[in-house]
Amino acid sequence: MCGIIGYVGRNDATPILLEGLRRLEYRGYDSSGIAVMNGSQTIQVRKKSGRLQNLRDHVADSPAEGDCGISHTRWATHGEATDENAHPHTDRSGNLAIVHNGVIENYQTLREGLEAEGHEFKSQTDTEVLAHLIGKIYDENSDESDPQKRLVSAVREAVKQVAGTYGIAAMHTDAPKFLVGARLGSPLIIGVGNDENFLASDVSAVVSHTSNAVYLNDRDIVYITEDEFRVETIDGTASSYEVSEVDFTPEQAEMGDFPHYMLKEIYEQPESIQNCFRGRLIDEEASAILGGLNMSPNELRDVERIVLCGCGTASHAAMAGEYIIEHLARIPTEVEIASEFRYRNPPLNKNTLVFVISQSGETLDTLAAMREGQRKGHKVLGIVNSVGSTIARESDGGSYLYSGPEIGVAATKSFTSQVTMFALLGLLLGRMRHLSVDYGNKLLEEIRTLPAKVEQILQQDEKIKEIALKYIDAEGMLFLGRQFNYPTAMEAALKMKEISYIFASGHASAELKHGVIALVSETLPSVFIMPKDSVYDKNVSSLEEVKARKGPCIAVTTEGNTELEKTADDVIYIPEVAECLAPILAVIPMQLLSYHFAVARGCDVDKPRNLAKSVTVE
Ligand code: F6R
């Protein structure tokens, strides 16, 4: 949430910052802004509410040039999406500018203190308060003659007074070609270039300039010039760091010929699923290998209980994971919404294994759940997509999804890879317990067929689009499934509501008669996810109950099962697959359905209203 990019080098900063913001826009799109400095002249600030194009137009009318600058794309927390509330914010003197990602929880108290000293504020943001605080400390420290040291020290002293989270970049007219960054709870990286360096919230902002990055840790303070950088702890001692290679190319983070990132990422699923299981299937043992778990076979055998924590789509994948692990490994497994887990005090014994699941590896609630689990002495493993992210670095081990960058705000390929990962985990743990070689081999075979089966589903895109258009005036939609596909129904409903803004809810099919059926009407379609599996007949009864009340029904079922064409209004077919892997296939037509539905209704599917990717605030 909120994207930051800062630049120091020999080139014109403005186009670099605007390009970086384009790559970061998925993190927030309520407003954007840049602050650029040339030599030690004044800081030129340009900022605009609304989409990045508004800022581009503004900069075209009122150019800002310089070889050092900071910029920001905002997901509003404090104060509406107005020009005044857009970042960068300056201090009282106008000589210092900052951009900020995170929430300053004690900003009101700080603001009142500063107002009492005569500071006047132009915005309602917590960030402007931090700008004034840093500026005040800077101005008061006139004993320090080196402006660079003075700025670093002002940032350090200011953040010590802050309660909350921050990833910031700051600059001052006294210190040309010099940026200071700091992080606590909100991600910040250094992009290490040749004769140029960057600060950014994530590597996608800098990947077209450099593939070398330093992932900063909480409470790090960093400064960059064009040819060097230094990472310090909050008390000023040098911090250790590693320069890592970025694991994707700029092209992978582009839309290519697709009209939206979401559609591109839906179409990438044959490959992303393959990448998830590549090298992890062990034929000789009819099992899977997940080396990153850092656990010996004996430790894995001792696991008595598993807790899966995540938010949104990741929590739906975890729900599928609960069914899969219990089915394959018979280990009691439960899902905890990360934001609940972090404030609960669930009884966990020493043989409980906690997993946190996160595409971005930066979701604040999930990160906090991980730290809470660790604080209580548990091993917490990560299932993460973003290499080098905070969860990836701080977890006690885990496995990467290797899905490549997911930029569309609606998660798609990360869901199918997360569920694939649970199949691998269930197989690994199951084979250490009761699961037979035969079953293990069968599952390996089935996992290998997934990419081709996903391709087959994608070929029905046109047909799914027609179905979406048929229901374009629907006031809402119900999604129903049982067992392994109850989580699919939850995920399908989330996709529909987040990108098309219609009411949608996902339920276990049998729950219909306990209340939900009251919603059924001729204008509210129900989508039944009902492959020909062990609960198929039960789903048929639920579908009949809806039809008896004149509710339109769309069924997703297994190829060859044409009998549903007699009862359902529309039928979408998915290839046959092992029951526990069905969510991986069944969710694909649901992603396409919501995509086409939202596009036809004129919604911006890659930037749905009020949302942003990577939720780094509480
Ligand atoms: C929905 C969506 C969100 C995320 C959630 C967790 O399409 O994208 O619900 O799944 O914010 O994000 P990660 O997986 O990055 O922790």
Side-chain angles (χ1 to χ4, degrees):
M1 246 156 200
C2 297
I4 289 174
I5 170 165
Y7 172 80
V8 189
R10 297 180 183 179
N11 294 306
D12 187 5
T14 301
I16 293 171
L17 297 179
L18 290 174
E19 167 61 11
L21 290 182
R22 180 182 74 78
R23 291 182 180 276
L24 288 177
E25 213 185 354
Y26 67 90
R27 298 182 72 101
Y29 29 87
D30 287 332
S31 64
S32 52
I34 60 171
V36 179
M37 199 165 73
N38 213 347
S40 57
Q41 295 166 0
T42 53
I43 291 175
Q44 308 153 69
V45 177
R46 306 283 182 270
K47 50 189 194 173
K48 276 281 162 205
S49 61
R51 296 291 165 86
L52 181 59
Q53 190 54 44
N54 297 353
L55 175 66
R56 285 183 184 282
D57 295 344
H58 180 41
V59 170
D61 290 345
S62 176
E65 281 180 11
D67 45 19
C68 173
I70 54 177
S71 63
H72 187 266
T73 178
R74 177 171 186 243
W75 184 82
T77 57
H78 295 67
E80 287 174 28
T82 59
D83 290 354
E84 292 71 32
N85 289 335
H87 299 212
H89 289 282
T90 50
D91 73 335
R92 177 154 68 170
S93 69
N95 294 331
L96 174 131
I98 71 165
V99 288
H100 164 227
N101 173 12
V103 172
I104 310 294
E105 288 168 4
N106 58 341
Y107 86 102
Q108 199 60 46
T109 317
L110 293 171
R111 181 171 171 141
E112 281 161 14
L114 289 161
E115 277 171 342
E117 292 175 27
H119 287 251
E120 285 174 13
F121 293 92
K122 300 181 195 121
S123 78
Q124 287 94 50
T125 64
D126 49 346
T127 306
E128 191 186 7
V129 175
L130 184 57
H132 278 240
L133 183 63
I134 300 172
K136 168 184 135 82
I137 297 171
Y138 182 93
D139 292 341
E140 284 170 358
N141 187 13
S142 50
D143 291 348
E144 175 57 70
S145 56
D146 179 339
Q148 294 187 347
K149 284 190 185 153
R150 195 166 158 189
L151 182 57
V152 174
S153 143
V155 168
R156 178 178 300 123
E157 292 314 311
V159 296
K160 280 183 188 163
Q161 296 182 36
V162 156
T165 56
Y166 53 82
I168 60 166
M171 63 187 197
H172 198 287
T173 47
D174 289 351
K177 303 196 83 166
F178 185 74
L179 295 183
V180 182
R183 79 156 269 179
L184 176 65
S186 298
L188 197 64
I189 62 112
I190 307 172
V192 184
N194 288 328
D195 301 325
E196 57 183 9
N197 285 311
F198 304 81
L199 285 176
S201 346
D202 74 58
V203 289
S204 60
V206 301
V207 74
S208 55
H209 301 281
T210 175
S211 54
N212 295 321
V214 175
Y215 297 89
L216 298 171
N217 292 315
D218 273 353
R219 297 195 168 75
D220 277 348
I221 307 258
V222 55
Y223 64 73
I224 63 171
T225 65
E226 68 183 11
D227 46 25
E228 61 168 348
F229 64 88
R230 181 177 159 90
V231 186
E232 294 179 350
T233 63
I234 196 132
D235 54 21
T237 53
S239 217
S240 60
Y241 63 84
E242 225 176 273
V243 181
S244 315
E245 179 118 13
V246 179
D247 72 321
F248 60 89
T249 61
E251 294 72 38
Q252 279 177 282
E254 291 294 347
M255 220 147 46
D257 293 335
F258 286 90
H260 296 100
Y261 279 109
M262 182 180 176
L263 191 63
K264 174 187 178 237
E265 288 157 9
I266 291 173
Y267 270 80
E268 280 174 348
Q269 289 175 109
E271 196 186 336
S272 55
I273 293 168
Q274 177 108 40
N275 288 344
C276 181
F277 68 71
R278 179 177 290 120
R280 288 170 165 164
L281 306 182
I282 307 295
D283 290 303
E284 308 78 66
E285 296 176 22
S287 185
I289 180 165
L290 294 171
L293 300 186
N294 296 334
M295 289 175 77
S296 69
N298 278 342
E299 284 173 318
L300 287 170
R301 252 175 241 117
D302 285 344
V303 173
E304 286 173 358
R305 188 174 160 212
I306 293 178
V307 174
L308 307 174
C309 281
C311 302
T313 290
S315 76
H316 297 152
M319 282 170 70
E322 174 181 349
Y323 280 91
I324 293 169
I325 294 169
E326 291 192 347
H327 169 71
L328 294 176
R330 318 277 323 136
I331 301 174
T333 302
E334 63 219 75
V335 177
E336 290 266 0
I337 302 291
S339 54
E340 291 296 308
F341 180 81
R342 62 180 291 197
Y343 290 114
R344 248 157 57 78
N345 191 12
L348 307 174
N349 71 17
K350 74 173 176 39
N351 289 334
T352 303
L353 191 55
V354 180
F355 279 90
V356 284
I357 299 99
S358 175
Q359 186 285 127
S360 61
E362 300 291 352
T363 300
L364 190 72
D365 284 322
T366 312
L367 183 58
M370 178 185 79
R371 289 174 177 161
E372 184 60 19
Q374 288 172 326
R375 193 171 298 120
K376 291 184 170 142
H378 292 282
K379 194 170 183 109
V380 184
L381 302 174
I383 293 180
V384 171
N385 188 37
S386 203
V387 174
S389 57
T390 309
I391 293 180
R393 284 178 294 124
E394 289 190 18
S395 55
D396 301 303
S399 292
Y400 278 123
L401 300 175
Y402 298 125
S403 312
E406 188 182 70
I407 293 174
V409 167
T412 51
K413 59 179 178 172
S414 59
F415 177 83
T416 45
S417 291
Q418 285 159 351
V419 181
T420 303
M421 182 61 76
F422 287 123
L424 302 182
L425 186 63
L427 177 60
L428 167 70
L429 296 169
R431 287 286 295 122
M432 292 179 153
R433 291 170 169 79
H434 69 286
L435 212 64
S436 69
V437 177
D438 271 5
Y439 194 96
N441 275 326
K442 171 146 179 25
L443 207 62
L444 289 184
E445 231 172 80
E446 292 267 356
I447 291 171
R448 286 197 173 98
T449 64
L450 287 170
K453 288 176 179 172
V454 173
E455 288 282 6
Q456 266 174 268
I457 299 170
L458 293 173
Q459 281 160 18
Q460 296 178 61
D461 193 4
E462 267 310 306
K463 179 184 166 191
I464 295 167
K465 182 175 175 182
E466 278 167 30
I467 297 174
L469 297 183
K470 180 171 163 188
Y471 294 98
I472 196 67
D473 295 321
E475 60 184 72
M477 242 179 243
L478 295 178
F479 291 88
L480 302 138
R482 286 181 87 128
Q483 298 289 303
F484 295 103
N485 282 306
Y486 163 39
T488 319
M490 299 288 291
E491 174 58 8
L494 177 62
K495 286 294 86 86
M496 186 54 87
K497 61 191 150 198
E498 71 180 325
I499 61 169
S500 70
Y501 322 140
I502 63 161
F503 156 80
S505 63
H507 304 274
S509 314
E511 279 294 291
L512 263 176
K513 56 190 179 294
H514 298 290
V516 187
I517 202 160
L519 293 168
V520 167
S521 77
E522 285 175 40
T523 53
L524 186 93
S526 296
V527 184
F528 281 88
I529 301 157
M530 47 190 298
K532 199 92 179 29
D533 58 14
S534 58
V535 286
Y536 172 74
D537 292 338
K538 307 286 170 198
N539 270 319
V540 171
S541 306
S542 303
L543 186 144
E544 296 280 4
E545 285 158 17
V546 171
K547 282 310 299 174
R549 287 158 183 87
K550 296 194 169 51
C553 286
I554 303 167
V556 178
T557 193
T558 310
E559 251 163 33
N561 177 38
T562 50
E563 67 172 21
L564 280 176
E565 290 181 11
K566 291 187 213 120
T567 34
D569 298 85
D570 296 280
V571 184
I572 300 169
Y573 291 102
I574 58 170
E576 195 172 348
V577 73
E579 196 162 332
C580 67
L581 301 178
I584 301 168
L585 299 188
V587 78
I588 312 266
M590 300 295 87
Q591 296 167 345
L592 287 169
L593 187 78
S594 48
Y595 171 79
H596 290 301
F597 189 85
V599 170
R601 286 172 74 109
C603 303
D604 185 347
V605 295
D606 277 343
K607 299 189 185 72
R609 75 179 176 211
N610 304 337
L611 288 171
K613 206 163 181 75
S614 191
V615 183
T616 53
V617 295
E618 226 190 308

